Amino acid sequence: MSDIEGSPGSSMHGVTGRERTLAFSVASPIVPTDTTAKFSLPVDSEHKAKVFKIFSFANPHMRTFHLSWASFFTCFVSTFAAAPLVPIIRDNLNLTKADIGNAGVASVSGSIFSRLTMGAVCDLLGPRYGCVFLIMLSAPMVFCMSFVADAAGYIAVRFMIGFCLATFVSCQYWMSTMFNSKIIGLVNGTAAGWGNMGGGATQLLMPLLYDIILRCGSTPFTAWRIAFFIPGWLHVIMGILVLTMGQDLPDGNRGALQKKGDVAKDQFSKVLWYAVTNYRTWIFVILYGYSMGVELATDNVIAEYFYDRFNLKLHTAGLIAASFGMANLLARPFGGFASDYAARLVGMRGRLWVLWILQTLGGVFCILLGRSSSLPIAIAMMILFSIGAQAACGATFGIIPFISRRSLGIISGLTGAGGNFGAGLTQLIFFTSSKYSTATGLSYMGIMIVCCTLPVTLVHFPQWGSMFLPPSKDMVKGSEEHYYVSEWTEEEKEKGMHEGSLKFAENSRSERGRRVDSAPTPPTATPNHV
């Protein structure tokens, strides 16, 4: 099929060859290029792109990148659209501080369940259907925000809208199936970072829409309701675009490839088993709970914090709060890039060190944000905190694709759910009751970040080592092939179901770092092309 011009996988489908490009590429000879495949970008043996061209829309790799981050961006806008309008909404609905706090918890709690489900959907049905179903099903909930009449309705609708944040899982899964592991940190970080920018963009968009509608003659209590129709329609538009233009895998959609026999149908029970029995999964659930989790919690309180603490105008507080989310434009991609760069030098151990450093620094600046008494210092600490936390998110998903090849979707879902669980828990403890002021809550949250980052020291890969321990000296058990193929039974291997893991193991040898040039090839290694 790839020989037919204009078909998915062909060299000219959706690309003219004249796009402006900002490219990051895989330069290591350990990742061979599949010269038989006809794609617009050079690919490895799994047909994953070895080059990342930000301004290209080449199909399927770069088109998928833009669809994934844009859909996630849309969901972030709608989930946090109420946050910058809270000073108006609370007067309209007579909300108490507890109501506002509970709504914040609800907005990030809903996707705990949807992210768990999305992981399985990606593994079994593909990320395209998962993304479309969720973004279209949540659209009516966004429209419903315009009709809430009391605190209970406000909390319930924010809870339901929050389900759409599970598009994060489809976003990260999609990138991991489209791009080579040597640049996956940068790609995952950029896609998720640009998507997370929706949390900052909505701080600008919703007050702007509110002001425009107000100037058109609407009353304040009606203007905020009308404003919610805009993110609702964004959901509908993005759902249609992903459905009609998206593609699950480099070679086509999962369902079609399964019918042709090119992709094996896996069993949910086994995919789930290898995800939950890998201790690394649960460590990253905790880690992400206090990188992405604190970002989500901060999105809910930061505008109100500046509005109340420094007596700012609503629009001014929104502008400052927007800079927290908008830092994702560069911060999260930087975290992914730093992870990839460290891996080139010292392998997986470098990725782990980068994650610990970035997340710990984020926690320190969060503590200082809560203790800031002047507006300029508070803004500076907020920006540094946002950079640390968001870069740590990018560094986290520079590691997640290597935990398991077979259970990538569920592990991504569990990790993403950990982020929402951490957000809900933090919001519940520090920002729901009047026991702590928002400033004190931010400082305590920073302390929790520093403490909950320490488990990264326990992550050890037998083929690559950990922060403090070297890799296994056993040539067989310390090989990439053994680690990834061990997820398959002998019966499944006889059916050839493990071949994707073999290819992934081959392409992930670059995680050895500089020692890759001198490291012996294990006797069970796969040839250059399986």
Side-chain angles (χ1 to χ4, degrees):
M1 183 178 71
S2 62
D3 292 331
I4 302 174
E5 184 175 354
S7 66
S10 69
S11 60
M12 297 304 295
H13 188 73
V15 59
T16 66
R18 297 187 178 88
E19 298 94 337
R20 292 176 57 211
T21 60
L22 177 58
F24 296 88
S25 63
V26 176
S28 174
I30 200 64
V31 183
T33 298
D34 187 349
T35 57
T36 64
K38 293 184 178 181
F39 290 91
S40 58
L41 303 178
V43 298
D44 62 18
S45 58
E46 296 179 273
H47 292 173
K48 295 181 180 180
K50 296 174 60 178
V51 176
F52 178 46
K53 298 184 177 182
I54 293 180
F55 298 115
S56 170
F57 286 86
N59 193 42
H61 302 94
M62 293 312 303
R63 182 184 293 182
T64 297
F65 164 77
H66 290 293
L67 287 173
S68 64
W69 78 257
S71 58
F72 186 37
F73 177 94
T74 300
C75 293
F76 240 93
V77 167
S78 59
T79 299
F80 295 101
L85 299 179
V86 161
I88 308 301
I89 297 174
R90 69 185 177 188
D91 292 338
N92 187 192
L93 303 181
N94 297 317
L95 303 179
T96 64
K97 182 176 181 179
D99 292 331
I100 296 170
N102 288 331
V105 173
S107 68
V108 297
S109 298
S111 62
I112 293 176
F113 310 106
S114 59
R115 286 187 173 191
L116 292 173
T117 304
M118 178 65 86
V121 170
C122 288
D123 278 327
L124 302 176
L125 299 179
R128 183 176 66 109
Y129 277 146
C131 179
V132 171
F133 289 157
L134 197 56
I135 201 170
M136 294 297 277
L137 287 174
S138 56
M141 294 298 103
V142 182
F143 289 119
C144 283
M145 180 61 82
S146 301
F147 304 102
V148 296
D150 53 29
Y154 175 70
I155 294 171
V157 172
R158 289 207 66 186
F159 175 76
M160 296 301 294
I161 294 175
F163 273 67
C164 70
L165 286 183
T167 49
F168 165 78
V169 178
S170 61
C171 170
Q172 299 293 272
Y173 182 95
W174 227 343
M175 296 303 93
S176 297
T177 62
M178 288 287 179
F179 293 89
N180 180 267
S181 58
K182 199 165 177 63
I183 56 173
I184 194 58
L186 174 65
V187 178
N188 268 342
T190 304
W194 289 10
N196 284 351
M197 276 198 310
T202 197
Q203 304 280 355
L204 294 173
L205 176 65
M206 296 308 290
L208 179 62
L209 290 173
Y210 170 79
D211 285 341
I212 292 174
I213 297 169
L214 206 60
R215 292 176 183 179
C216 289
S218 177
T219 63
F221 290 172
T222 302
W224 75 263
R225 297 174 183 274
I226 298 174
F228 271 89
F229 278 87
I230 303 302
W233 278 110
L234 287 177
H235 271 246
V236 175
I237 293 169
M238 279 310 306
I240 294 172
L241 289 176
V242 173
L243 181 63
T244 56
M245 301 177 67
Q247 182 173 309
D248 289 321
L249 299 166
D251 297 314
N253 289 315
R254 183 177 291 273
L257 293 173
Q258 285 177 339
K259 290 179 180 179
K260 292 170 58 179
D262 293 339
V263 174
K265 289 185 178 181
D266 214 336
Q267 295 181 358
F268 172 72
S269 59
K270 291 188 176 181
V271 174
L272 178 64
W273 171 256
Y274 286 111
V276 300
T277 56
N278 191 321
Y279 80 93
R280 300 168 193 84
T281 300
W282 301 108
I283 290 179
F284 278 92
V285 168
I286 297 172
L287 291 171
Y288 204 61
Y290 284 90
S291 57
M292 184 61 190
V294 297
E295 182 184 346
L296 295 176
T298 306
D299 279 335
N300 271 323
V301 302
I302 196 67
E304 185 184 11
Y305 167 69
F306 279 101
Y307 179 83
D308 292 333
R309 184 174 177 84
F310 299 104
N311 297 315
L312 302 177
K313 293 181 179 179
L314 178 63
H315 184 65
T316 304
L319 284 173
I320 296 172
S323 64
F324 181 84
M326 294 301 287
N328 273 291
L329 176 65
L330 297 175
R332 188 156 182 161
F334 167 74
F337 173 78
S339 180
D340 290 340
Y341 184 77
R344 292 173 194 170
L345 298 178
V346 291
M348 177 58 68
R349 302 175 75 179
R351 291 188 188 271
L352 296 170
W353 273 103
V354 164
L355 173 57
W356 178 79
I357 292 170
L358 291 172
Q359 192 156 322
T360 300
L361 285 176
V364 171
F365 289 121
C366 182
I367 295 172
L368 297 176
L369 169 61
R371 296 186 176 183
S372 300
S373 56
S374 69
L375 181 60
I377 294 176
I379 293 173
M381 291 303 103
M382 180 198 70
I383 292 173
L384 291 172
F385 161 45
S386 69
I387 292 173
Q390 292 160 11
C393 292
T396 297
F397 273 84
I399 301 171
I400 291 296
F402 298 99
I403 294 177
S404 170
R405 168 66 168 75
R406 186 174 189 179
S407 304
L408 173 61
I410 289 184
I411 292 176
S412 297
L414 286 168
T415 304
N420 286 79
F421 180 79
L425 181 63
T426 303
Q427 184 98 23
L428 187 64
I429 296 174
F430 300 126
F431 304 114
T432 300
S433 70
S434 57
K435 182 178 180 180
Y436 302 111
S437 66
T438 305
T440 302
L442 286 169
S443 291
Y444 285 162
M445 183 171 72
I447 294 172
M448 288 191 70
I449 295 171
V450 173
C451 294
C452 291
T453 304
L454 293 175
V456 73
T457 59
L458 303 177
V459 176
H460 183 273
F461 291 91
Q463 68 274 37
W464 301 316
S466 62
M467 287 176 63
F468 298 105
L469 298 176
S472 172
K473 294 182 180 180
D474 189 314
M475 283 188 62
V476 176
K477 293 184 179 180
S479 69
E480 289 80 1
E481 284 75 15
H482 182 271
Y483 181 82
Y484 292 111
V485 175
S486 63
E487 295 180 324
W488 302 91
T489 65
E490 291 302 322
E491 182 180 352
E492 290 170 333
K493 292 177 187 177
E494 291 177 1
K495 297 178 181 178
M497 296 177 68
H498 70 304
E499 289 185 0
S501 295
L502 278 174
K503 292 179 180 179
F504 184 79
E506 172 193 11
N507 293 321
S508 66
R509 286 189 206 133
S510 58
E511 292 304 305
R512 300 175 185 177
R514 286 176 175 171
R515 72 186 182 93
V516 72
D517 296 326
S518 59
T521 301
T524 56
T526 176
N528 282 343
H529 298 288
V530 177

